[in-house]
């Protein structure tokens, strides 16, 4: 019920800071954040990523310290992405199944450094391991094969779970992969390993800096439109989410974030399940570019963006601004 002016003046409750705080409907906390970290070969290595200013790849010996920082800031989970060296990439991405790959080393390093004080999310998709940069196995004309890829993804997920991953996050958009991974995890003694499905992942122009970070941008020919969703579609996102939940996803993700707030809201209202959004690399880079160009203040731009994602219905947000935002929120 809304009354009429002047008995009702909506500005009344906005008059003072204390009153705005009292009437605030949504809140952001460090516990809403998942911090993506890029891992690289070597030791003592920090490699800044030019298209992702302020973000670096870290060698395994330094990654535990990043995770410790995150835990100290109250960030409950980190997400890992490897930059696999070119000579370990192949047509079939077999390095994804190597128990000694960069990802597995990083998971163990974080476990050694932090014990169970932080969750470790690992991405399931072949693009950091393939010589062609696609997320799956390809046929003679470059089409990404669904069922053969699912078999490989199951192997990749089991490899990550064996290394100690807490959340398996399939980002590949193959049909049927959540169910296949869930059943394999159950059978192999990983009943408590969660699946956060990238359920509604769009074929977006906002992933460029990420592909630089994992080293797949220069390798990728063509696009990912035969498996990632058409940005024009919303109903289809609900079908994707319904299927992934039926197959055993514990939580679902919408990706990218800010351009898809309507999808976050629709998924939350329809399914009443934990929904996460990935505020992706291009979104991060746009804010940083705006700050560098004097268009806005980083602090305000980041907080407004993350709060908007919460307001839309997110349980949490994957963002490269996680450490920055957590520091602000803790200040
Ligand atoms: C790969 C993957 C991508 C991202 C997360 N996992 C890129 C892609 O699909 O090409 C994007 C994340 C970002 O842009 O920050 N399966």
């Amino acid at each position: 019920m809304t009354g009429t002016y002047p008995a009702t003046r909506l500005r009344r409750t906005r008059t003072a800071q204390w009153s705005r705080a009292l009437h605030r409907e949504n809140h952001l906390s460090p516990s809403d954040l998942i911090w993506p970290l890029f891992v690289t070969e070597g030791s003592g290595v920090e490699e800044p990523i030019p298209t992702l200013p302020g973000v670096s790849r870290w060698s395994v010996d330094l990654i535990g310290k990043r995770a410790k920082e995150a835990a100290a800031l109250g960030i409950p989970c980190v997400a890992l992405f490897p930059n696999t060296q070119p000579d370990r990439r192949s047509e079939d991405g077999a390095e994804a199944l190597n128990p000694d790959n960069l990802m597995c080393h990083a998971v163990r390093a974080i476990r050694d450094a932090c014990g169970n004080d932080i969750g470790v999310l690992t991405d399931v998709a072949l693009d950091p391991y393939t010589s062609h940069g696609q997320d799956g196995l390809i046929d003679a004309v470059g089409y990404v094969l669904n069922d053969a890829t699912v078999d490989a993804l199951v192997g990749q997920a089991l490899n990550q779970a064996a290394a100690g991953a807490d959340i398996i996050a399939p980002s590949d958009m193959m049909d049927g992969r959540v169910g296949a991974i869930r059943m394999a995890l159950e059978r192999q003694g990983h009943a408590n390993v969660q699946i956060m499905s990238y359920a509604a992942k769009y074929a977006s122009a906002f992933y460029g800096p990420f592909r630089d970070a994992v080293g797949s941008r220069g390798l990728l020919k063509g696009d990912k439109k035969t498996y990632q969703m058409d940005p024009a579609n919303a109903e289809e996102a609900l079908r994707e989410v319904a299927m992934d939940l039926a197959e055993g996803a514990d939580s679902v993700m919408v990706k990218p974030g800010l351009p898809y707030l309507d999808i976050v809201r629709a998924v939350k209202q329809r399914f009443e399940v934990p929904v996460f959004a990935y505020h992706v690399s291009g979104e991060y880079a746009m804010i940083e570019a705006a700050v560098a160009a004097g268009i806005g203040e980083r602090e305000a731009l980041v907080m407004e963006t993350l709060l908007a994602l919460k307001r839309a219905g997110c349980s949490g947000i994957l963002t490269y601004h996680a450490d920055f935002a957590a520091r602000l929120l803790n200040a």
Side-chain angles (χ1 to χ4, degrees):
M1 243 300 269
T2 297
T4 53
Y5 167 86
T8 300
R9 291 178 185 266
L10 291 178
R11 288 184 59 192
R12 225 176 257 137
T13 56
R14 295 177 203 147
T15 306
Q17 159 58 25
W18 66 262
S19 179
R20 292 191 293 273
L22 191 63
H23 291 88
R24 194 158 291 140
E25 296 175 35
N26 292 283
H27 298 269
L28 196 61
S29 121
S31 65
D32 296 323
L33 306 172
I34 298 176
W35 192 20
L37 296 172
F38 295 105
V39 194
T40 193
E41 294 287 343
S43 75
V45 179
E46 174 183 0
E47 291 170 352
I49 302 155
T51 54
L52 220 40
V55 178
S56 296
R57 304 181 196 101
W58 302 91
S59 54
V60 167
D61 59 316
L62 301 180
I63 206 78
K65 193 153 169 273
R66 299 280 82 72
K68 263 191 154 154
E69 278 168 26
L73 288 166
I75 295 171
C77 186
V78 293
L80 298 178
F81 298 95
N83 179 291
T84 307
Q85 58 196 57
D87 64 353
R88 291 196 165 269
R89 289 176 171 259
S90 59
E91 180 90 4
D92 64 1
E95 177 68 5
L97 284 76
N98 175 2
D100 273 321
N101 70 19
L102 206 45
M103 181 72 112
C104 294
H105 280 296
V107 173
R108 290 188 208 107
I110 293 176
R111 199 57 78 210
D112 287 348
C114 304
N116 287 324
D117 292 344
I118 197 156
V120 180
L121 178 154
T122 54
D123 203 79
V124 167
L126 298 183
D127 55 315
Y129 311 93
T130 54
S131 47
H132 45 72
Q134 293 289 359
D135 290 24
L137 305 173
I138 55 173
D139 70 8
V141 294
Y143 180 75
V144 175
L145 299 164
N146 194 86
D147 300 3
T149 297
V150 170
D151 291 342
L153 299 175
V154 167
Q156 181 182 20
L158 288 174
N159 189 32
Q160 294 172 352
D166 299 296
I167 306 180
I168 301 292
S171 70
D172 54 283
M173 290 299 280
M174 298 302 114
D175 287 320
R177 89 285 203 213
V178 170
I181 292 170
R182 183 71 269 159
M183 291 331 292
L185 290 172
E186 296 294 318
R187 276 197 295 268
Q188 301 290 324
H190 302 297
N192 283 334
V193 171
Q194 301 177 31
I195 297 179
M196 181 187 291
S197 157
Y198 288 70
K201 175 171 177 179
Y202 288 87
S204 171
F206 289 95
Y207 303 151
F210 172 95
R211 292 178 189 168
D212 287 333
V214 298
S216 66
R217 191 185 223 172
L219 304 172
L220 184 65
K221 288 171 212 71
D223 55 45
K224 301 189 177 183
K225 290 180 183 171
T226 71
Y227 46 107
Q228 298 178 351
M229 282 183 58
D230 183 338
N233 295 355
E235 273 177 12
E236 191 185 345
L238 300 178
R239 298 179 75 194
E240 284 283 1
V241 169
M243 287 188 72
D244 287 1
L245 290 171
E247 290 174 31
D250 298 284
S251 55
V252 292
M253 200 197 298
V254 173
K255 179 183 174 192
L258 216 49
Y260 297 89
L261 291 184
D262 58 324
I263 308 299
V264 170
R265 168 53 62 95
V267 168
K268 188 69 191 175
Q269 281 184 336
R270 171 80 64 97
F271 299 101
E272 300 175 316
V273 295
V275 182
F276 292 81
Y278 201 140
H279 178 240
V280 299
S281 58
E283 298 180 82
Y284 170 95
M286 282 202 309
I287 290 180
E288 291 302 313
V291 172
I295 290 166
E297 304 278 341
R298 180 181 290 113
E299 194 169 307
L301 291 169
V302 170
M303 285 301 156
E304 183 175 335
T305 299
L306 298 180
L307 194 58
L309 287 156
K310 282 277 322 253
R311 193 193 62 239
C314 285
S315 297
I317 303 148
L318 290 91
T319 175
Y320 304 97
H321 281 120
D323 58 329
F324 174 76
R327 277 192 186 88
L328 279 181
L329 291 164
N330 288 329

